[in-house]
Amino acid sequence: MPRKLIAGNWKMNGLRSDGHALARDLALRFSTEKEPAFDMLICPPAQLLDSIGQVIAGSGVALGAQDCHRETKGAFTGDLSAAMLADIGCRFVIVGHSERRQYHNEIDLMVAEKAAAAHSAGLIAVICIGETEAERDAGEALTVCARQIAGSVPDGATAANTVIAYEPVWAIGTGRTPTVRDVMEMHAHIRAELSRKVPDADDVRILYGGSVKGSNAGELLTLPNVDGGLVGGASLQAEDFWTIAKASE
Ligand code: PEP
């Protein structure tokens, strides 16, 4: 069974003062924990990546970005390449988050290109997929996620360079979560679909994301084929995030 990964997506939250304090708190907890049964990843906003990399250095907490460009360099104002992220110490990058798909019109092909760029730069791509509420209501959730896997996971993906985050769009930031049965069904389905593209699909970490908090983490993150969580709102307080991580053990 892959080792659990507990990932925090800070989104567009955090100034130097509170961001550094949060990172420092988590780094201390993780580095003093005796044999943690999970890996921990934080994905702060871009302006904090370099300095937070220094705050968490040596703690074992990994650093990740929230997006990257598909090209390595060039005339792309405002963008950051995967190579730049690797250069400042990132090990992971989230690609295809539903907020990127929604607000930046990212489609599966673009997500696959970004994931491939991440791989070329030596980063682990956290590829996000998930159905909308209308798609679930229409009974299309499994088909939609299969299509997103086929389109968003690039050639060359392996368990070492790729993590999948299943995040039903309607569960993100809403306080609503799918049933345990739905999560189990979807994660088994994702594993099966991955095996069409990824040689060591059994070892790929498949995270659940969407309104994970301390009170539901134990139930959701210990299910079969759930190899950790991608946490938004509840990753902004060290105590909440840590409670989630411990509940996943
Ligand atoms: C997310 O945006 O990846 C997420 C899961 O958010 P939240 O935990 O706030 O629902």
Side-chain angles (χ1 to χ4, degrees), residues 49-177:
L49 285 171
D50 194 14
S51 58
I52 284 189
Q54 292 164 39
V55 169
I56 63 176
S59 70
V61 175
L63 185 68
Q66 299 174 13
D67 181 45
C68 68
H69 197 274
R70 64 180 178 170
E71 300 289 345
T72 48
K73 59 180 179 170
F76 301 103
T77 303
D79 281 313
L80 293 173
S81 72
M84 292 169 175
L85 299 173
D87 187 47
I88 56 166
C90 288
R91 284 185 47 220
F92 292 78
V93 60
I94 298 170
V95 292
H97 190 280
S98 68
E99 288 151 16
R100 301 288 315 177
R101 291 177 186 261
Q102 183 180 354
Y103 302 128
H104 297 265
N105 300 318
E106 292 188 6
I107 58 170
D108 287 333
L109 176 63
M110 295 156 79
V111 177
E113 289 173 342
K114 288 177 179 217
H119 295 163
S120 298
L123 295 179
I124 300 170
V126 180
I127 302 175
C128 300
I129 61 168
E131 81 285 356
T132 62
E133 184 159 33
E135 288 164 342
R136 177 155 287 272
D137 289 347
E140 294 168 356
L142 297 175
T143 320
V144 166
C145 289
R147 193 174 63 226
Q148 289 177 333
I149 289 170
S152 304
V153 177
D155 292 345
T158 66
N161 66 21
T162 301
V163 172
I164 303 295
Y166 167 58
E167 300 204 305
V169 178
W170 52 272
I172 295 179
T174 60
R176 298 164 57 205
T177 55

Side-chain angles (χ1 to χ4, degrees), residues 178-227:
T179 63
V180 161
R181 178 192 280 250
D182 286 342
V183 173
M184 283 200 298
E185 180 186 41
M186 181 60 85
H187 278 239
H189 176 66
I190 290 169
R191 179 92 56 209
E193 291 299 317
L194 276 177
S195 67
R196 299 170 186 266
K197 296 203 75 158
V198 182
D200 50 357
D202 283 350
D203 295 324
V204 173
R205 293 195 275 198
I206 306 174
L207 313 185
Y208 168 77
S211 294
V212 176
K213 50 190 180 202
S215 55
N216 61 21
E219 186 176 57
L220 292 168
L221 304 187
T222 55
L223 295 172
N225 287 308
V226 177
D227 307 304

